[in-house]
Amino acid sequence: MARKRGSEKRYVGRAVAVLFGCLALAMAAGGFVRWQDDGKGGDERSPGTFTQARATGQAFGKGPLRRYSVQVEDGTGVSAEQAAREIQKILAHPRGWAAHGRGSFQLVADRPDFTVRIATPDTADRLCAPVGDTGGELNCEVGDGVVVNLRRWKLGSPTFDGPPAAYRHLIINHEVGHEIGIRGHLGCPGRGRPAPVMMQQIKGLDGCRSNAYPYDAAGRYVDGPPAD
């Protein structure tokens, strides 16, 4: 009987070793990088893989045509198709870049001029690393398009007076502003005035009012002093 119990122990030990070996191989072959919880937006997985939106649309606006696609990191709970439609509406807004001759835009499923990627904070930091440290909080514009931090997409910003859906206009308008050639940032033009969309509003408003649009309701560009 003692010999039989020893065989059983050896069998269980081998089974446990095989199980942990399989788990290690699965993680090395493309498992989740890690789980993190931002305390408000829920768990955010960082697999580093993306789903491409298959949605397409007509070109709109005035100026050089820029074809763009939308990708969303897997496991975020954000639909790539819905995000693409939302971004399309943002770019077509009457106070946006397209409506004022700063470029025309078209949502495509392949061969884009640039790509908008919604990514978890870990992945956003990795994609944005060539242009700076985004610290798990910021968005960026890189060589092949725009990287949107999932935390900002879901939660908005503590400096922005409005819900996350309104803040998404600021995210897209600011980063696409860089994409169409506006390289520098702007500062607050005066206390109580609307902040320029090319101001890094998440870092503070300096007395300005938060604003998500490049142009005001009268069609005037919301400008400010150079900040860089």
Side-chain angles (χ1 to χ4, degrees):
M1 293 295 292
R3 184 176 180 181
K4 183 176 181 181
R5 285 196 296 270
S7 298
E8 289 174 350
K9 288 180 180 179
R10 287 194 297 273
Y11 175 79
V12 171
R14 287 196 298 270
V16 170
V18 169
L19 174 60
F20 277 95
C22 289
L23 288 173
L25 287 173
M27 293 177 69
F32 300 128
V33 175
R34 70 170 179 165
W35 283 88
Q36 63 179 27
D37 191 320
D38 60 20
K40 295 181 181 179
D43 291 322
E44 298 168 346
R45 284 194 275 191
S46 304
T49 58
F50 288 81
T51 293
Q52 167 86 42
R54 304 312 302 172
T56 60
Q58 298 294 318
F60 56 85
K62 299 178 180 178
L65 176 63
R66 300 283 288 163
R67 293 156 48 90
Y68 69 96
S69 64
V70 174
Q71 297 179 359
V72 175
E73 188 169 2
D74 298 324
T76 61
V78 176
S79 162
E81 304 302 321
Q82 291 179 3
R85 293 303 183 196
E86 186 168 358
I87 292 168
Q88 185 180 39
K89 290 179 181 178
I90 290 171
L91 291 174
H93 193 279
R95 291 173 60 185
W97 299 116
H100 295 271
R102 297 301 295 268
S104 56
F105 302 95
Q106 182 179 15
L107 175 63
V108 297
D110 52 29
R111 297 192 298 277
D113 297 309
F114 70 97
T115 299
V116 178
R117 294 182 179 89
I118 300 174
T120 57
D122 284 347
T123 302
D125 284 351
R126 177 173 57 80
L127 295 175
C128 293
V131 297
D133 181 7
T134 45
E137 298 289 341
L138 305 179
N139 315 293
C140 73
E141 184 258 344
V142 292
D144 64 346
V146 169
V147 179
V148 177
N149 187 305
L150 176 67
R151 186 171 290 156
R152 300 280 70 84
W153 184 265
K154 283 185 172 181
L155 302 177
S157 165
T159 66
F160 186 80
D161 184 16
Y167 186 71
R168 291 168 195 160
H169 284 255
L170 176 56
I171 295 173
I172 298 302
N173 285 324
H174 181 99
E175 302 304 339
V176 171
H178 288 315
E179 182 65 33
I180 62 175
I182 304 173
R183 308 317 308 171
H185 291 121
L186 299 176
C188 175
R191 180 167 295 275
R193 296 178 64 181
V197 80
M198 296 312 298
M199 180 179 179
Q200 292 181 296
Q201 297 181 36
I202 194 171
K203 296 183 178 181
L205 294 171
D206 297 331
C208 270
R209 293 182 287 109
S210 57
N211 164 54
Y213 305 102
Y215 296 85
D216 65 18
R220 296 182 294 256
Y221 182 59
V222 181
D223 207 350
D228 290 339

